[in-house]
Amino acid sequence: MPVPWFLLSLALGRSPIVLSLERLVGPQDATHCSPGLSCHLWDSDILCLPGDIVPAPGPVLAPTHLQTELVLRCRKETYCDLCVRVAVHLAVHGHWEEPEDEEKFGGAADPGVEEPRNASLQAQVVLSFQAYPTTRCVLLEVQVPAALVQFGQSVGSVVYDCFEAALGSEVRIWSYTQPRYEKELNLTQQLPDCRGLEVRNSIPSCWALPWLNVSADGDNVHLVLNVSEEQHFGLSLYWNQTGPQIITLNHTDLVPCLCIQVWPLEPDSVRTNICPFREDPRAHQNLWRAARLRLLTLQSWLLDAPCSLPAEAALCWQAPGGDPCQPLVPPLSWENVTVDKVLEFPLLKGHPNLCVQVNSWEKLQLQECLWADSLGPLKDDVLLLETRGPQDNRSLCALEPSGCTSLPSKASTRAARLGEYLLQDLQSGQCLQLWDNDLGALWACSMDKYIHKRWALLWLACLLFAAALSLILLLKKDHAKAAARGRAALLLYSADDSGFERLVGALASALCQLPLRVAVDLWSRREMSAQGPVAWFHAQRRQTLQEGGVVVLLFSPGAVALCSEWLQDGMSAPGAHGPHDAFRASLSCVLPDFLQGRAPGRYVGACFDRLLHPDSVPALFRTVPVFSLPSQLPDFLGALQQPRAPRPRRLQERAEHVSRALQPALDSYFHPPGTPAPGRGVGPGAGDGT
């Protein structure tokens, strides 16, 4: 059934209803009209020249209403174009002029004058259609029998099939008679795109509909493109393949402005856009991790970020000692920030303690002390805030962690005790003026000379005590940070097949949920390609062991075969080609530690139940614990989180969490639907060869 546009306007919302369209076979245009009317379509298009309005000689047919419907014009079953069917509703306008003889003399008129009143009405109706870059005009001849001629009444409609138009385009339609007795009718419509129409297999430009599904797998995000097996498609990345595909995006690459564009590889095809990460919290976290503040001059700076974002910035004063940076609002104010646009603060001088805070959605996202790079580390200076009122009234306060202390003051704070000397320095010009306007000023005053003059010995004792205390706190803080960050773990494996790689990815993602920082080549393919496998594994191993981490050797039949081959052939073993190159490269970094007895405490081994028994691991590598997963998950996690493993109950909870996260991947690997279980081959040639 044809679909009127007013129904489509209701259907094409955020999640449009898919509607089917009537199909017209053949390229020929046609016309038909209401019962009782006769109509004819001229064989060719005409010039679009409406002409001027002229007086009607009597009753005439005039267009009164335009109605449109969408249909498909098909050359083949799967090769159609969107077409606009136009219906013109007609009515009789005007009236017969009374004969002069009858009006003047009141007598009967000549019977010859009555003949036109009983005659049929004819009209030439023009339809003008414009849709960039096409303009067409067609002529419809319509005849209405005398029995249907009633002044001011509708006589029916004439329908034209049809005007071809592009999906998503704007069309304009005019209708008038020739000659033109009245103002032309006009209609403007926005055509829908592929999403609201059941045309996926009919219109070539809709063969790649925007049915893009985003799913999460641990920290990775999968973009599923649902296209038919025989179709090619393209992405802006640029991707050129056939059939359904799953594209894995690294979770660290996601930002709110990352969008995907997809289109069929056909001429003039419609491109579909989707931005699925605008509201993703992880994408916003990545955005702020990548954002940087850059100082250009003393007063100008800008914010570098991958995406535009709503933010505001203000200056703050960062005192030494780790106290929070204190915003200088007031007297200064928050300023709106535009990414990659130069901003200015009205400063007279720079100071290493001046920092910039950037807030977004009322949350502190970024803080950097831009002037510290050029002016040195933080100074033990006091910031004085001068407030100016009417009649030259001035007040001063010293900014401290507890607030702004008025000067002079009898409070017990450091600034209050030195308030007299600070005021003397300010009056003698020894303080550095940072900002000034009619409402106030900011001054930075040094405290060094007073500390050395009056309390040298006391300060030395306090300094020693503070240094010792700071060292203890720093060590505890570093230890707490290290504990919070988790122990580093480098995961080495042999890529026997794609299914085993997905199993390794699931294990790595599950371990990342614990206090562990996992490194695996699956997530660093770009860096490994740039550096080379040997250099990449050597750098990762050295960093992991220097941080007190652990290297996990994940054994599979392919890994065991490679280890045995390496042990038999030694360092002269030829380089492999294929999916095992990365693991073979790691053996050159790992074997020396085992051969020289440095492996215990730094390495652990693991294998998966039903895939490999721990006794199948070469004896050299069994000098470190080898765990079978998931049956020995608690012991495995305890070994990874040494030397401060959690309590047994907590360890069991974490093991259950990892087991639940790992189970779907295990089920998929050992029991894939409709195929035999993978991973049964042994050695580098095993697997699916992909």
Side-chain angles (χ1 to χ4, degrees), residues 475-491:
L475 292 175
K476 289 185 177 181
K477 186 176 182 180
D478 289 343
H479 179 74
K481 285 184 177 180
R485 291 175 60 202
R487 193 183 188 192
L490 174 60
L491 193 60

Side-chain angles (χ1 to χ4, degrees), residues 82 165-169 190-194 197 199 203 205-206 270:
L82 187 65
L167 288 160
S169 63
Q190 182 71 39
L191 297 185
D193 56 18
C194 303
L197 304 173
V199 294
I203 299 180
S205 60
C206 291
V270 176

